[in-house]
Amino acid sequence: MRTTPLSLRSAARRLGVVALLPLALPFTAGAALAQQRPAITTLELEPAPLASLPPVPPAVGLPQLQGQVSCPALQQRVQSVLGREAGVWSVTVADARGRLLADVNGTRPRVPASNQKLVSTAFALDRLGPDYRLATRLWRLPDGSFRLTGEGDPDLALPQLQRLTKLALGSGGSSGQTPSLVRLQIAEEPKQAWWPRGWHPDDRYYAYGAPITRLAVTSNAINDAVMNPPSRLQALLQKSVSQQGGAVQVSLVPATAPLPPDAVLLHQEPSAPMHSLLSLANTESHNFTAEVLMRQAAGTWNLAQAQQLTSQWLGQQGLPMQGVRVADGSGLDRANRLTSRLLAALLLRMDQHPYGRNYLASMAVAGQRGTLRNLYKGTPLQGQFYGKTGTLTGVRSISGVLLTSDGPRYVSALSNGAYQPNTTIGQVLRQAQQTQLCPG
């Protein structure tokens, strides 16, 4: 909050301090007064009573999304675009002042598909910061064995494994001797926690539905999902060690198992920085990364707890939470429920966030980048809309920030059953670009 500096005199008045000013008396009268009593010293002054301080002004908060539509012209245009399909749509448009410019079914909860990633990535950026990196760590235990721990780095691959096994073979590089056998523990989540319960069993066989584990070589996907990540990791570790002339005995321990007090960190492999992770989740709609980011932001890989903490964070931002349900971090779970009004309010909130530029930069761009690269190309929307897409059978959602001559517009459009949703959303965005409809 900015304040205007006060003059010393004004400050004194506000603090109840009485300034001693020269008396406006003739010289003779003043001299006579001085003869009647000694000069007043500071120590003899009785303290002036403190004036009651004025009430503290309310804090200057971030703009909040208003509850009433304030642009009838745009509201009418959006309703006209939706037409007879309005019942399957939720559309909200807001501006940087928090004005609700248009809103159709904005408080009706809908399946958001991958628009859910806007929630998990905002949560992660706020909690972890733009410089955060996931870590894969190799520990040496007091008994001479080793433990491998991870935080779900989506880019963990063979080069990192080879560095880790080389260090294990060299006992951390301290002796220079290669042991005949390396005993290595893999710290991992239990199998029942690899997939959110709401993910359809058929989706789990595809790369986009790969299991969510802490140690996930190439995000637990090759062409399709890797169904048993620890088994694959064990095979890769054994191959890497044997190529270096050693042998390894791999065992599996719970990720929650505490490290011994005297465990020594031998090496840490950092992931790409947060801005790259955010872009992977939002621009390319990578489910695995979004799930990991939500868990790391929550500080727990217990999905139920992570869901609860994500919801609590949303509420703490002052967002409209009625009907909202967080079921996972990626949107593949059809139990997720978001409203277009919540998403528009979240986009508004994040645009005012200290890391808001990182958030915006993580999104796809109409006609240019990511999952929007082939949409709205050659139209006035190209390069002017930064957004997140979402697609499930019967579900299409696009939400993001539309750049206009009058500042940003925050637009969320969720459809559950629309016929040609991409076309409709494009028409909504074009109407939102018409700034003359909503004069300031």
Side-chain angles (χ1 to χ4, degrees):
M1 180 175 67
R2 297 181 62 184
T3 58
T4 303
L6 296 172
S7 67
L8 292 177
R9 188 182 297 269
S10 298
R13 288 198 185 105
R14 291 192 63 176
L15 292 174
V17 177
V18 178
L20 295 179
L21 302 177
L23 294 175
L25 295 174
F27 176 76
T28 54
L33 182 62
Q35 292 175 355
Q36 294 175 8
R37 62 182 183 183
I40 299 175
T41 66
T42 303
L43 295 176
E44 292 172 320
L45 283 175
E46 293 186 3
L50 286 176
S52 59
L53 295 175
V56 178
V60 179
L62 297 171
Q64 296 289 318
L65 185 63
Q66 298 174 1
Q68 298 296 322
V69 173
S70 60
C71 183
L74 181 58
Q75 176 76 6
Q76 185 177 2
R77 295 282 188 96
V78 171
Q79 288 175 328
S80 178
V81 167
L82 300 180
R84 295 180 179 178
E85 281 196 328
V88 302
W89 281 96
S90 291
V91 175
T92 300
V93 183
D95 68 5
R97 292 160 52 191
R99 292 191 303 167
L100 188 62
L101 303 180
D103 188 77
V104 177
N105 300 323
T107 60
R108 182 176 299 176
R110 297 196 188 276
V111 180
S114 283
N115 270 206
Q116 188 73 28
K117 294 182 178 70
L118 289 172
V119 171
S120 53
T121 55
F123 180 40
L125 182 59
D126 179 72
R127 283 294 184 89
L128 304 175
D131 300 320
Y132 183 82
R133 294 172 185 256
L134 303 166
T136 304
R137 299 182 176 96
L138 178 66
W139 303 83
R140 184 170 57 202
L141 307 184
D143 64 359
S145 65
F146 301 87
R147 184 178 298 180
L148 195 59
T149 65
E151 295 176 339
D153 181 357
D155 292 322
L156 183 65
L158 289 176
Q160 290 95 320
L161 293 184
Q162 290 168 349
R163 282 193 291 271
L164 291 165
T165 54
K166 185 175 182 179
L167 281 166
L169 282 167
S171 296
S174 58
S175 68
Q177 299 178 355
T178 301
S180 57
L181 178 66
V182 172
R183 290 176 292 125
L184 179 62
Q185 298 175 356
I186 297 174
E188 193 50 89
E189 296 295 315
K191 185 175 182 179
Q192 60 267 27
W194 292 353
W195 291 275
R197 291 184 179 181
W199 285 17
H200 195 281
D202 291 345
D203 288 332
R204 303 180 187 192
Y205 291 94
Y206 294 94
Y208 65 79
I212 314 302
T213 64
R214 291 177 177 265
L215 295 164
V217 180
T218 60
S219 300
N220 289 334
I222 306 174
N223 294 319
D224 295 315
V226 173
M227 303 305 291
N228 191 334
S231 178
R232 180 195 181 203
L233 178 59
Q234 179 177 347
L236 291 173
L237 289 169
Q238 289 173 336
K239 181 178 180 180
S240 178
V241 170
S242 65
Q243 287 175 343
Q244 298 176 58
V248 61
Q249 182 182 77
V250 180
S251 60
L252 192 64
V253 299
T256 54
L259 284 160
D262 296 332
V264 176
L265 178 62
L266 290 182
H267 184 65
Q268 177 171 293
E269 286 284 341
S271 73
M274 176 63 83
H275 66 81
S276 295
L277 299 173
L278 293 175
S279 183
L280 185 58
N282 284 335
T283 296
E284 302 301 335
S285 203
H286 196 244
N287 291 334
F288 181 92
T289 302
E291 294 291 343
V292 167
L293 288 177
M294 184 182 77
R295 289 159 174 76
Q296 287 298 118
T300 175
W301 274 57
N302 180 299
L303 182 55
Q305 294 178 11
Q307 293 164 351
Q308 182 180 11
L309 291 169
T310 304
S311 295
Q312 288 178 1
W313 178 82
L314 285 172
Q316 291 165 359
Q317 310 312 305
L319 306 178
M321 293 295 292
Q322 185 175 1
V324 171
R325 181 183 179 188
V326 175
D328 69 5
S330 63
L332 193 55
D333 194 325
R334 285 180 173 267
N336 287 299
R337 291 294 184 273
L338 298 181
T339 66
S340 61
R341 196 173 293 191
L342 173 129
L343 285 170
L346 175 64
L347 291 164
L348 169 64
R349 165 72 183 93
M350 291 305 295
D351 215 23
Q352 306 294 327
H353 195 280
Y355 306 143
R357 298 305 90 184
N358 300 84
Y359 190 62
L360 185 68
S362 74
M363 298 183 194
V365 182
Q368 294 183 352
R369 187 177 72 195
T371 56
L372 283 169
R373 67 173 67 89
N374 296 321
L375 281 179
Y376 316 129
K377 187 175 294 187
T379 75
L381 297 173
Q382 181 170 337
Q384 302 302 304
F385 180 69
Y386 291 69
K388 180 74 200 74
T389 62
T391 306
L392 290 172
T393 302
V395 178
R396 183 59 168 167
S397 56
I398 297 180
S399 301
V401 181
L402 176 65
L403 307 183
T404 76
S405 59
D406 193 35
R409 298 284 188 264
Y410 309 100
V411 184
S412 177
L414 311 177
S415 69
N416 288 178
Y419 176 58
Q420 292 183 317
N422 288 341
T423 300
T424 301
I425 294 172
Q427 292 172 348
V428 168
L429 291 171
R430 287 289 291 116
Q431 294 300 328
Q433 276 185 317
Q434 311 305 312
T435 57
Q436 72 276 9
L437 297 175
C438 307

